[in-house]
Amino acid sequence: MYKCIVILFLSMTFYYAEAKEYDHVVQGYVIDNMTGNGMDSIHVILMTNDSTVIARTTALPKVAGELAGMYQFTIRKVGKYIVKAKCEGYEDGYMDCELRNNREAAILVKKYVWQKPLMTCQR
């Protein structure tokens, strides 16, 4: 009987600790300043505040319509992050964002607008 109580207590403690981990969304858009539209072939990188890469993705292509240029990451830890956007022929773009507490469901990153393309972005 005593062993069952201890195992149950450990299970409940583990479940409580597990429940404190929340998924938070980091979401934003990369758009072209000439057209105002989302761009194709954008590589987006999520980094910690000290530039350690956490995740990589590709923004949605132009065929996604109004969602073109959108990217999304999932994070679990409170802290400051850097979003880096890369595209051949353009200078790299950087945006800072911060998850302040676990009650925030998402971080909506300000739209990044590329100002001066060096040439068109094609793959």
Side-chain angles (χ1 to χ4, degrees), residues 3-81:
K3 287 182 182 179
C4 291
I5 293 172
V6 171
I7 291 172
L8 178 62
F9 176 74
L10 290 175
S11 296
M12 288 174 62
T13 304
F14 178 72
Y15 178 76
Y16 178 72
E18 186 92 279
K20 291 178 87 174
E21 289 286 322
Y22 298 102
D23 286 342
H24 307 277
V25 174
V26 176
Q27 180 178 321
Y29 288 87
V30 180
I31 60 174
D32 186 311
N33 78 315
M34 299 296 227
T35 65
N37 297 327
M39 298 174 59
D40 275 335
S41 304
I42 306 299
H43 300 284
V44 186
I45 302 164
L46 180 67
M47 302 180 288
T48 60
N49 202 34
D50 66 355
S51 298
T52 303
V53 174
I54 299 172
R56 298 171 188 268
T57 191
T58 302
L60 292 176
K62 288 182 181 179
V63 295
E66 290 182 6
L67 298 177
M70 187 184 99
Y71 61 87
Q72 183 172 308
F73 296 103
T74 302
I75 58 173
R76 292 195 144 198
K77 294 184 179 180
V78 171
K80 294 182 179 184
Y81 295 89

Side-chain angles (χ1 to χ4, degrees), residues 84-98:
K84 178 180 179 181
K86 294 178 62 163
C87 181
E88 187 177 322
Y90 287 77
E91 293 181 15
D92 293 350
Y94 297 87
M95 294 296 290
D96 296 326
C97 59
E98 181 178 5

